Amino acid sequence: MKRLAFLTDLVDRLSGTWTGLTERERKLVSLLGVALILTVVALGISSFRNALEARRDAIAYKEMVIEEVAKLSATYRQAEAVRNQIENRLRGAPVRLFSYMEETAKKQNVTIGDMQDRGSDTHDGVVRSTVELRFPSIELQPLVRFVNEIEKNPRVVKVEKLRIRQRGDDEEKLDVNLTVSTYHLANS
């Protein structure tokens, strides 16, 4: 109620002041009032535009983040599939390199001069077993077929090192040292 009386009193004083003004003063006060209203409206529109622009920027940023997450998700799925594929190849009983090398050599009609076990080592739960083979006199084509056959194994068997020297007595023959490793999970 006090508030209403205050507003009524304010309106009465303003109307009294307005009637006491000359025509020229009324025009100036009116122009000042219009300018004040236009300024308030302009500031309101400007702040609304800024808020709208800030929301658009926030939405654009969130859309970019969502796209990045989708890309990373797709890459993660691909990497996970590759990892599972490799783990499946590493599971199960390890390849017996001596037997596998002898079988492959017989299949490819290649004679192994010497074969030595270089032992096993474990790194991050994966065991690597290594064998070194020596071919004192072999031609290039049978060697290529032998190496390709080794790496066709569905398990992880890789040629780690291949050292080739041409023989002095026969240019068609090569002296070859070959290091082959197989990998398997330590807990399998």
Side-chain angles (χ1 to χ4, degrees), residues 24-36:
R24 182 173 182 244
E25 289 173 337
R26 285 184 188 165
K27 285 181 182 178
L28 286 174
V29 170
S30 297
L31 283 175
L32 183 62
V34 168
L36 182 64

Side-chain angles (χ1 to χ4, degrees), residues 5-7 14 27-28 31 36 53 64 68 70 73 83-85 98-100 109 129 137 139 147 161 169 177 180:
F6 173 75
L7 286 177
L14 285 175
K27 285 181 182 178
L28 286 174
L31 283 175
L36 182 64
E53 191 64 34
M64 182 187 69
E68 188 174 327
S73 173
R83 185 184 65 81
N84 286 337
Q85 189 178 41
F98 268 85
S99 302
Y100 180 63
N109 291 328
S129 303
S137 179
E139 292 182 1
V147 169
K161 191 185 323 180
D169 59 338
N177 286 355
V180 179

Side-chain angles (χ1 to χ4, degrees), residues 45-134:
I45 289 173
S46 175
S47 68
F48 179 74
R49 280 181 140 175
N50 289 342
L52 187 62
E53 191 64 34
R55 288 193 185 226
R56 284 184 184 153
D57 289 346
I59 289 170
Y61 175 74
K62 288 177 182 177
E63 286 174 346
M64 182 187 69
V65 168
I66 289 171
E67 286 177 21
E68 188 174 327
V69 166
K71 287 178 188 175
L72 291 174
S73 173
T75 331
Y76 174 77
R77 278 189 234 113
Q78 290 172 347
E80 186 72 16
V82 169
R83 185 184 65 81
N84 286 337
Q85 189 178 41
I86 291 171
E87 277 185 6
N88 286 337
R89 289 182 66 194
L90 291 173
R91 283 193 179 101
V95 175
R96 296 177 186 198
L97 278 177
F98 268 85
S99 302
Y100 180 63
M101 291 298 115
E102 288 173 354
E103 290 172 15
T104 306
K106 285 179 187 175
K107 202 186 297 184
Q108 296 298 320
N109 291 328
V110 174
T111 304
I112 298 173
D114 184 31
M115 190 166 25
Q116 295 179 359
D117 184 7
R118 293 297 178 204
S120 300
D121 60 330
T122 304
H123 184 68
D124 290 335
V126 177
V127 178
R128 178 180 78 168
S129 303
T130 306
V131 169
E132 189 172 302
L133 297 93
R134 192 165 107 13

Side-chain angles (χ1 to χ4, degrees), residues 89 150-151 156-161 179-183:
R89 289 182 66 194
I150 288 173
E151 294 201 352
V156 182
V157 179
K158 298 291 176 192
V159 174
E160 298 281 334
K161 191 185 323 180
T179 304
V180 179
S181 296
T182 184
Y183 298 84

